[in-house]
Amino acid sequence: MRYLATIADRQFVVEVQAGARPGSYAVVMNGSSQMVDIEPASGDWLYSMLIDGRSFTVAATPDGVQLDGKDFAARVQRSLGPALQAPGVSSEPARLQAPIPGLVVAIHVTAGQEVLEGEPLLVVEAMKMQMDLKSPRSGKVTQIAVAAGQEVAHGQLLVVVDESK
Amino acid sequence: MRYLATIADRQFVVEVQAGARPGSYAVVMNGSSQMVDIEPASGDWLYSMLIDGRSFTVAATPDGVQLDGKDFAARVQRSLGPALQAPGVSSEPARLQAPIPGLVVAIHVTAGQEVLEGEPLLVVEAMKMQMDLKSPRSGKVTQIAVAAGQEVAHGQLLVVVDESK
Amino acid sequence: MQAGSPRSFRKILVANRGEIAVRVIRTCREMGIPTVAVYSDVDRAALHVRLADEAYSIGPAPADQSYLRGEAILEVAERSGAEALHPGYGFLSENAGFARACRDAGLAFIGPAPEAMALLGDKLEAKRAVARRGVPLVPGTDEPVEDEAQLRKDAARIGYPLLIKAAAGGGGKGIHAVERPEDLEAALRLAQGEAQAAFGDRRVFLERLLHHPRHVEVQLLADQHGNYVHLGERECSVQRRHQKLIEESPSPVVTADLRQRMGEAAILAAREAGYTNAGTVEFLLDEAGQFYFLEVNTRLQVEHPVTEWVTGRDLVRDQIRIAAGEELGFGQADVTWRGAAIECRITAEDPDLNFLPFTGRVQELVEPSGPGVRFDHMLYPGAEVTRYYDSLLGKLVVWAGDRAAVLRRMERALGELHVIGLKTTIPFHAWAMSHPAFRAGELHTSFIDENWQPGAGSADLSDVAAIAAAVLEFHRGARPSRNGTQEDPPSRWKLAARARIHSS
Amino acid sequence: MQAGSPRSFRKILVANRGEIAVRVIRTCREMGIPTVAVYSDVDRAALHVRLADEAYSIGPAPADQSYLRGEAILEVAERSGAEALHPGYGFLSENAGFARACRDAGLAFIGPAPEAMALLGDKLEAKRAVARRGVPLVPGTDEPVEDEAQLRKDAARIGYPLLIKAAAGGGGKGIHAVERPEDLEAALRLAQGEAQAAFGDRRVFLERLLHHPRHVEVQLLADQHGNYVHLGERECSVQRRHQKLIEESPSPVVTADLRQRMGEAAILAAREAGYTNAGTVEFLLDEAGQFYFLEVNTRLQVEHPVTEWVTGRDLVRDQIRIAAGEELGFGQADVTWRGAAIECRITAEDPDLNFLPFTGRVQELVEPSGPGVRFDHMLYPGAEVTRYYDSLLGKLVVWAGDRAAVLRRMERALGELHVIGLKTTIPFHAWAMSHPAFRAGELHTSFIDENWQPGAGSADLSDVAAIAAAVLEFHRGARPSRNGTQEDPPSRWKLAARARIHSS
């Protein structure tokens, strides 16, 4: 099976083949091949991984993998061809979602307003802290889905920013 | 629901009724009634239990329950009537099973031999230790299901001792 | 209780939650004193509820409907027959009115008398009080000022850069830095306007702004018989949002002589306020080694374990003994220090996203152990971290023979700690322990702002991470997870990754 | 490694498993030395494999096909480029032949030289050696004897009760007690016959049988430059099957003067054997306060953490430094003791069934924490405890300011520790901590035999247990378990209950 693994902003093509024993795999990456042995440890989320004898504790985290306690943002997808995708600039509308459940304290923008990437759009309060949520891209605010004083759930849509034309 | 709970060699009739909230129960035992609140804690095996405000950590153990770290051998069965069973003397054959996987090192008895309760029947070795396994009852050895030098699994039948007649 | 000690309390109510409630309950159990926990609806399964002898609900999740409801807590104390109350930190711990209400209800408050708490709670009044004893203050005005001409004169005397602080302020709010004289007027107007709006009081005061100061605090114990000892200092300079993240004892720059001088100054301050029980006197220490009084924390500090490690004392036990009227039983000469200790606060925050708090459920917990490791926490598999309370999950505290060894030990322990399901500060701490300036002890309150970069906590193992992610994907696809599929890790994983990309 | 210290090893192979392998890896990591683990097939997921930098399989589960296969281990050392080997305890740790093979392979063995190990491994030779330095021995014959007339004369001189021990014996085998002179002849014949059958050597020796002796041992460190220090004693009297279950330091009866005399005797014994690295000299201490040399353990002891707590040293670090040729760097006068520490061995055994070992799977693990608690273990949820190795799961070790406080702290920590899925010694230890004789420090090697009763570890909470069991049954029936039904707790529970009834 060929995978495209994106670690932070770097991409790797990883070829994985099941080995003789359960949990053992042959892996080819960047032209070199390695024996990988994976074994569940401590419940469902933590694994012991031996890569050619080197030992790692691997955990699945909310946004990637953790290796020996260090976090790596990771995405894995089946790769059909050998070509690497360039990390392109999306022209889709960006949907700002609540990163945490909380209370919308203030909204700094109005519908139709032009904003720059990184510009604060609204303030959400949770865990005794107020946080500025910033625009994921430059463009025009096409939708404000919440109001100040409203409680929001994790992942709830807050604001949509689209290409300005 | 009415239960018969056997704790070590004591028996209790416990009447349990579901309360208003999930995890809350009304319990009647020995004529006195108590509010019990049970809540999962630390995975599947450990619970927080409040009995009229008194807090206990309850765990399901291999042979009963653990309360705040103390072990209690416990069996629970549905009780249909109010009568308590006397802890009677069984006349069924007693089946001695391997309490632990190991190696049968020696067998002290032969089929047909009369034995007393507590008399060593055979020796099993495991974890660098040899242990004498004793007869669960007085009677006659009617079956020896293993041989010296044999590996046995947990729970495997070793010897049957029946009423001598 | 040990034989020969006077009668202690028959039962103690712990008016807090989280790791500090657990901490207090542990010592009570060791002293043979039964404990009463209180909990809000979302804390029914919390560790402090499990570990206490009794536990009672005090209301819904929001703190102002539960942990801040003094009357509900006093009612539980009455009902359960508690003789004393330990407030922990935060919530009602520095509320003099609540301490007074406890006293009125015949309940011993394990902390200072309400009068001392009220005096020290007023920052300017506290400064005037300690100044009377000759404890050094950061140069500044010692009275709130409205008159602009006076402020200009004061500013010239104090020198630049300086800080304008709202007299009625607190919690880092209403503070403005002024770099040059020509900026003073505009900043004053802004600060006074803000102070009026935020606190209904336009008065401000001025303070010199120290360059790269260290935050160093002294732990005190004072009994009700006039005995005072200090237990040395804690260096707490590494902060984000003016909140500490790493604390250690001893400070890398405090000599035995400086320790003695700061300790004596702290005791003078406490004496002036009539302070009893455990308390902490906070100082700023400038680059020249001069220290300045900041404030007194009239409660147990989050970071008290580092002092416990190096001095060998149990501060909660001392607090309870003092509140019960016992004498300290030891003097300054009996206090000895051994080795070095450091604490890393493990919080539910994403260090790569400006320490944004993170809520969720603990899927798996692996705790570090071995020599010199203590992990005081509120975690268990299945624990929910909600938005209602602060983000502190636990404190990893380690001890070793010297500072170099303690940093390596902390690195080792951080590597063993896994809190699966949440973003935490663990990678940040691992980075800090190996940072050259941190290792050299070059600490100051801007350390994080000046040095931390998002992503710095990920070592250069991208290639291994790629292999791990791909094999994990294959392996998990190939065989079902051990405990069924109620929450399938890979899919939650991808969902969260998408959410993060949109919110960052 | 700290700056200024000589070059240490570039890589260390840990030739062990379980908690001690984990223990050694932790210190190596703190010293910045990469580690190589070895594992048998059933240990693939073990904690020591996860925590090491590298890990290699050395064979099937039985120890003689894996952890005892010196040549396989040396092969891994060669392949991985390890410069030193730490043997832990048990397995090959006291095998002089293996230590020699390491030396021949150019691999530093972290322990004494093979010559010292061989000398001290022969119990009678060791006794003669230390007697030359005037270290007191239990009165007895100091040579193996075949002649019966001579034995009768020796017995009269030694006095009764006495022990007949096989000269070639070990591990508690071939030992017979003789209460009265008239029983001597029969006992001699039995013992000699047994010795011939078991060891192929009919020679025996005699030793006075002490009444209620304490087992007290002294921890030593010796470098390769002739420097010796002792780190005080450990009291290890509480044993079952001649194996220790509880150890503490200091001993409740050892005074500063006795500590010094025992420490000096231990150093004399070590010097005579040319001993280097960490070692332990075991003594019996009789009711009159007289101590007698027993033997030297030429390795790290299971119970070394209690000494680490009170002295503040890391013994594994000291072992590695010594093996690398470093000087100790401190003298006897620099050793200080603070407070008291105690260790409870948590083993997979059923204390209510004569400490019968118990195999199975860890379903859930809840670790104790808080001030003064250290839990060195090999456990994790899902860990399998098999019949192939000994039953030690971990060591709960706590420290406090004095012995009374340390017993209460241990009780508290035991109450927080849950190893769900296995029978363990936890209830036994909880009983011991509150036993009046134990609390009074009245310890001797027959303490368990004379005091422990099956079931004594269950407090009188039968009524609560009945409620808990019934509500649990109802509750679990009412709603599915969180993680599905692959192993349904109630049914396993009932099955196990039946099995137990039949086997007891």
Side-chain angles (χ1 to χ4, degrees), chain B residues 52-71:
Chain B
D52 281 346
R54 285 188 300 158
S55 175
F56 298 92
T57 297
V58 177
T61 64
D63 67 352
V65 293
Q66 210 182 60
L67 279 179
D68 290 345
K70 306 273 192 294
D71 274 320

Side-chain angles (χ1 to χ4, degrees), chain C residues 321-341:
Chain C
R321 289 171 50 241
I322 289 169
E326 279 190 53
E327 291 209 41
L328 267 184
F330 65 99
Q332 192 62 52
D334 301 314
V335 178
T336 57
W337 288 273
R338 180 191 261 185

Side-chain angles (χ1 to χ4, degrees), chain C residues 143-222:
Chain C
E143 294 283 350
V145 178
E146 274 203 78
D147 178 53
E148 287 196 22
Q150 180 63 37
L151 280 167
R152 270 191 298 274
K153 240 187 280 175
D154 288 337
R157 174 175 57 81
I158 293 163
Y160 291 84
L162 56 74
L163 288 176
I164 308 175
K165 290 186 172 182
K173 285 183 184 164
I175 297 179
H176 289 263
V178 187
E179 295 291 327
R180 300 164 306 177
E182 51 268 43
D183 299 337
L184 180 67
E185 206 143 334
L188 266 181
R189 213 152 305 147
L190 192 64
Q192 289 174 320
E194 248 191 48
Q196 179 67 41
F199 309 109
D201 178 349
R202 59 183 284 109
R203 294 176 309 155
V204 296
F205 63 98
L206 307 181
E207 230 176 55
R208 183 184 296 162
L209 175 60
L210 301 178
H211 179 67
H212 278 185
R214 289 169 188 264
H215 180 114
V216 176
E217 61 189 26
V218 173
Q219 176 69 54
L220 291 182
L221 288 174

Side-chain angles (χ1 to χ4, degrees), chain D residues 71-359:
Chain D
E71 71 287 4
I73 292 170
L74 289 176
E75 206 181 290
V76 170
E78 160 110 48
R79 171 153 52 119
S80 62
E83 291 189 330
L85 177 144
H86 196 297
Y89 52 69
F91 295 130
L92 295 166
S93 64
E94 295 183 282
N95 184 319
F98 179 66
R100 213 171 272 122
C102 287
R103 185 164 67 187
D104 294 346
L107 191 66
F109 182 87
I110 300 174
E115 294 73 20
M117 203 188 282
L119 166 71
L120 296 168
D122 181 320
K123 304 304 170 198
L124 275 175
E125 207 185 319
K127 285 190 176 202
R128 284 194 297 272
V130 307
R132 283 197 291 273
R133 291 286 191 137
V135 176
L137 305 180
V138 178
T141 51
D142 50 0
E143 294 284 349
V145 178
E146 274 204 77
D147 177 54
E148 288 196 21
Q150 180 62 38
L151 279 167
R152 269 192 298 275
K153 241 188 282 174
D154 288 339
R157 173 176 56 81
I158 293 163
Y160 292 85
L162 56 73
L163 288 175
I164 310 175
K165 289 185 171 181
K173 283 181 184 164
I175 298 180
H176 288 263
V178 187
E179 295 291 325
R180 299 163 306 175
E182 52 267 41
D183 299 336
L184 181 67
E185 207 143 335
L188 266 180
R189 213 153 304 144
L190 191 65
Q192 288 174 322
E194 249 191 47
Q196 179 67 40
F199 310 109
D201 178 348
R202 60 183 282 107
R203 295 176 308 158
V204 296
F205 63 98
L206 307 181
E207 230 176 55
R208 183 184 296 161
L209 175 59
L210 302 177
H211 179 68
H212 277 185
R214 289 169 188 263
H215 180 114
V216 177
E217 61 189 27
V218 173
Q219 176 69 52
L220 292 182
L221 288 174
D223 66 19
Q224 299 180 32
H225 309 275
N227 299 304
Y228 291 81
V229 299
H230 73 84
L231 300 180
E233 81 286 358
R234 293 183 288 260
E235 158 111 36
C236 315
S237 302
V238 178
Q239 311 186 343
R240 56 92 186 73
R241 289 191 290 267
H242 302 289
Q243 289 179 304
K244 303 160 189 169
L245 270 182
I246 305 178
E247 302 97 342
E248 58 182 295
S249 185
S251 160
V253 294
V254 172
T255 60
D257 169 65
L258 181 55
R259 178 171 305 123
Q260 189 187 335
R261 287 189 291 122
M262 291 181 79
E264 284 167 2
I267 288 175
L268 281 178
R271 273 191 200 278
E272 179 65 20
Y275 195 84
T276 52
N277 215 290
T280 296
V281 182
E282 299 196 325
F283 295 99
L284 288 180
L285 181 65
D286 73 14
E287 291 175 308
Q290 176 60 50
F291 61 89
Y292 308 95
F293 173 85
L294 212 54
E295 65 179 53
V296 178
N297 291 132
T298 61
R299 51 163 166 84
L300 192 67
Q301 301 275 87
V302 175
E303 59 271 23
H304 74 278
V306 296
T307 299
E308 295 189 320
W309 267 122
V310 293
T311 62
R313 296 209 63 81
D314 177 337
L315 286 174
V316 173
R317 181 184 283 255
D318 287 329
Q319 285 194 295
I320 294 170
R321 288 172 48 240
I322 290 168
E326 278 190 52
E327 292 209 42
L328 268 184
F330 65 100
Q332 192 62 51
D334 301 314
V335 178
T336 56
W337 289 273
R338 182 192 258 186
I342 190 164
E343 166 177 294
C344 288
R345 297 196 191 187
I346 311 299
T347 64
E349 296 177 4
D350 186 347
D352 288 344
L353 272 180
N354 201 20
F355 294 93
L356 186 79
F358 194 98
T359 59

Side-chain angles (χ1 to χ4, degrees), chain C residues 172-309:
Chain C
K173 285 183 184 164
I175 297 179
H176 289 263
V178 187
E179 295 291 327
R180 300 164 306 177
E182 51 268 43
D183 299 337
L184 180 67
E185 206 143 334
L188 266 181
R189 213 152 305 147
L190 192 64
Q192 289 174 320
E194 248 191 48
Q196 179 67 41
F199 309 109
D201 178 349
R202 59 183 284 109
R203 294 176 309 155
V204 296
F205 63 98
L206 307 181
E207 230 176 55
R208 183 184 296 162
L209 175 60
L210 301 178
H211 179 67
H212 278 185
R214 289 169 188 264
H215 180 114
V216 176
E217 61 189 26
V218 173
Q219 176 69 54
L220 291 182
L221 288 174
D223 66 18
Q224 300 179 28
H225 309 276
N227 299 305
Y228 291 81
V229 298
H230 73 85
L231 300 179
E233 81 287 359
R234 294 184 288 260
E235 158 111 34
C236 314
S237 301
V238 179
Q239 311 186 342
R240 57 91 186 75
R241 289 192 290 266
H242 303 290
Q243 289 178 305
K244 302 161 188 168
L245 269 182
I246 305 178
E247 302 97 343
E248 59 183 296
S249 185
S251 159
V253 294
V254 171
T255 60
D257 170 64
L258 181 56
R259 178 171 304 120
Q260 191 186 334
R261 287 189 290 123
M262 291 181 79
E264 284 167 2
I267 288 175
L268 281 179
R271 272 191 201 279
E272 179 64 21
Y275 195 84
T276 53
N277 216 289
T280 296
V281 182
E282 299 196 325
F283 295 98
L284 288 180
L285 181 65
D286 71 15
E287 291 175 310
Q290 176 60 51
F291 61 89
Y292 308 94
F293 173 85
L294 212 53
E295 65 180 54
V296 179
N297 291 132
T298 61
R299 51 165 166 85
L300 192 67
Q301 300 275 90
V302 174
E303 59 270 24
H304 74 278
V306 296
T307 299
E308 295 189 320
W309 267 120

Side-chain angles (χ1 to χ4, degrees), chain A residues 1 3 5 7 10 12 14 16-18 22-23 25 27 29 34 36 38 40-47 49 51 54 56-76 94-97 99-103 125-129 131 133-134 136 151 154, chain C residues 241 243 348-349 355-359 363-364 366 385-391 414-415 417-418 420-423 426-427 430 457-476 478-479 481-484 487 489 492-494 496-504:
Chain A
M1 192 87 78
Y3 293 98
I7 306 299
R10 293 176 59 190
F12 300 84
V14 190
V16 182
Q17 282 187 320
Y25 298 91
V27 173
M29 191 177 82
Q34 319 193 51
V36 178
I38 185 167
S42 276
D44 261 3
W45 296 72
L46 217 67
Y47 294 84
M49 190 176 280
I51 304 181
R54 284 187 300 157
F56 297 92
T57 297
V58 177
T61 64
D63 67 352
V65 292
Q66 209 182 62
L67 279 179
D68 290 346
K70 306 270 195 293
D71 274 319
F72 293 86
R75 271 183 308 167
V76 177
R95 298 160 58 82
L96 178 65
Q97 295 168 300
I100 181 172
L103 181 75
E125 183 176 290
M127 290 172 125
K128 295 169 58 185
M129 246 174 281
M131 57 210 97
L133 299 187
K134 291 166 184 165
E151 303 249 345
H154 175 87
Chain C
R241 289 192 290 266
Q243 289 178 305
E349 296 177 4
F355 295 93
L356 185 78
F358 194 97
T359 59
Q363 300 292 350
E364 202 69 40
V366 182
V385 177
T386 68
R387 66 184 181 87
Y388 296 105
Y389 314 112
D390 75 30
S391 58
L414 286 164
L417 171 59
H418 300 274
I420 310 298
L422 300 175
K423 282 274 177 194
I426 295 171
S458 295
D460 188 24
L461 283 170
S462 297
D463 51 343
V464 178
I467 293 175
V471 171
L472 208 56
E473 182 80 10
F474 191 119
H475 187 75
R476 295 195 144 203
R479 60 203 69 249
S481 77
R482 208 189 308 168
N483 288 326
E487 282 183 285
R492 177 171 187 279
W493 186 23
K494 282 172 192 156
R498 270 201 305 279
R500 179 170 182 275
I501 285 157
H502 285 129
S503 69
S504 60

